[in-house]
Amino acid sequence: MGEERFGEFVLVRRHEEGVVAELVLDRPKAMNAVSTEMARSVAAACSALGGEGTVRVVVLTSTHERAFCVGADLKERNSFSDADLLRQRPVTRGAYTGVLELPVPTIAAVHGFALGGGFEMALACDLIVADRTAVVGLPEVSVGVIPGGGGTQLLPRRVGAARAAELIFTARRVEAEEAHRLGLVDQLVEAGEDRAEALSLATRIAANSPVGLRAAKRALRLGQGLDLRAGLEVEDAAWRAVAFSGDRAEGVAAFNEGRVARWPGQ
């Protein structure tokens, strides 16, 4: 299992011969609060992973025992002038969009607190696995701002406009059982098992065609918010991108020969 560090606070680990990448939030002394430096590192790690043809799935994890990520570093921001805050905005935004725009399936492994920008980073993933210690929420209006890492757009896409409004307007924290029931997280596991389950899920996903996975994600993402006719055109374009690929030829051959596919990834 190889490791690569991006700055002081972000680590990337490789699993399954490199096809599964684990993006690790590693600022335990601050419960992974997103500082300017940490945001730069998340964006840099995502840029590197997005450009790697071998990576098929990315899993977002945390080294802190009691938190996935508690959101923006408010201690750092307390020292900011308005000009400082304005300069920081594209840096922090780059971290969230970096996760959101990864071209491969992404899974967040959440335990403990995932609040504000921390929950937004999880929402930027395709799937969220949470353990029973998880507490999620978007409390930004309680400190005079709004969710600015995608929360106002990603949360209603998960749970609907009215439910998202209630959660954002009240700034309330939601514990694991309710979060699972409301669809804020996709899978609920026993305490301490979120990382292992997310990596297991990533391994199952990564067994499939890398060309197919990227195209399926692209169709899912680009089709959101479109009417059905337009969405089907997005799907057709994605189908055409894979229908004549080496992966498609290998997948059909492997199926007919009763063997495991050896994906060329092109």
Side-chain angles (χ1 to χ4, degrees):
M1 180 177 67
E3 292 187 350
E4 181 180 4
R5 187 164 285 279
F6 290 80
E8 185 179 355
F9 303 130
V10 174
L11 180 67
V12 171
R13 296 177 178 141
R14 315 288 173 157
H15 303 270
E16 302 296 324
E17 300 181 346
V19 299
V20 174
E22 181 183 2
L23 196 164
V24 187
L25 304 178
D26 187 28
R27 195 186 177 202
K29 290 182 179 179
M31 299 181 84
N32 290 329
V34 183
S35 63
T36 306
E37 181 184 349
M38 186 172 178
R40 284 198 184 98
S41 297
V42 170
C46 289
S47 178
L49 290 171
E52 290 186 19
T54 55
V55 173
R56 300 181 192 175
V57 187
V58 173
V59 179
L60 193 57
T61 68
S62 159
T63 58
H64 197 284
E65 293 182 356
R66 295 187 294 109
F68 173 73
C69 173
V70 294
D73 186 341
L74 296 183
K75 289 183 178 179
E76 179 188 56
R77 288 196 180 178
N78 192 47
S79 67
F80 279 5
S81 66
D82 288 351
D84 292 332
L85 187 60
L86 192 61
R87 280 192 294 269
Q88 189 204 40
R89 175 61 177 165
V91 178
T92 53
R93 191 176 181 189
Y96 301 114
T97 57
V99 176
L100 185 65
E101 293 177 359
L102 280 165
V104 297
T106 50
I107 306 167
V110 173
H111 60 267
F113 297 111
L115 301 172
F119 188 39
E120 288 175 302
M121 209 170 289
L123 288 171
C125 293
D126 299 300
L127 297 167
I128 302 175
V129 175
D131 81 359
R132 293 186 182 277
T133 70
V135 179
V136 305
L138 297 176
E140 284 88 346
V141 298
S142 70
V143 292
V145 290
I146 70 164
T152 65
Q153 305 306 304
L154 294 170
L155 188 58
R157 283 169 165 79
R158 269 188 166 265
V159 299
R163 178 66 69 190
E166 182 263 321
L167 292 167
I168 291 170
F169 295 163
T170 62
R172 72 183 179 93
R173 300 180 178 190
V174 184
E175 295 187 358
E177 291 281 355
E178 184 184 6
H180 186 232
R181 187 171 70 253
L182 296 179
L184 299 174
V185 304
D186 302 300
Q187 190 171 340
L188 188 61
V189 297
E190 295 304 315
E193 295 182 5
D194 55 298
R195 177 177 177 268
E197 181 55 36
L199 287 170
S200 176
L201 177 58
T203 299
R204 297 196 297 275
I205 292 171
N208 296 306
S209 157
V211 171
L213 288 172
R214 287 174 180 248
K217 174 161 181 171
R218 189 163 61 249
L220 284 163
R221 287 292 176 90
L222 292 178
Q224 287 182 0
L226 300 179
D227 64 39
L228 180 58
R229 186 180 296 274
L232 290 173
E233 290 304 314
V234 168
E235 181 182 82
D236 186 65
W239 179 87
R240 290 175 184 277
V242 301
F244 308 104
S245 67
D247 273 16
R248 195 277 308 171
E250 168 60 12
V252 172
F255 176 83
N256 282 287
E257 294 166 18
R259 59 174 175 81
V260 175
R262 298 182 291 272
W263 304 114
Q266 58 187 11

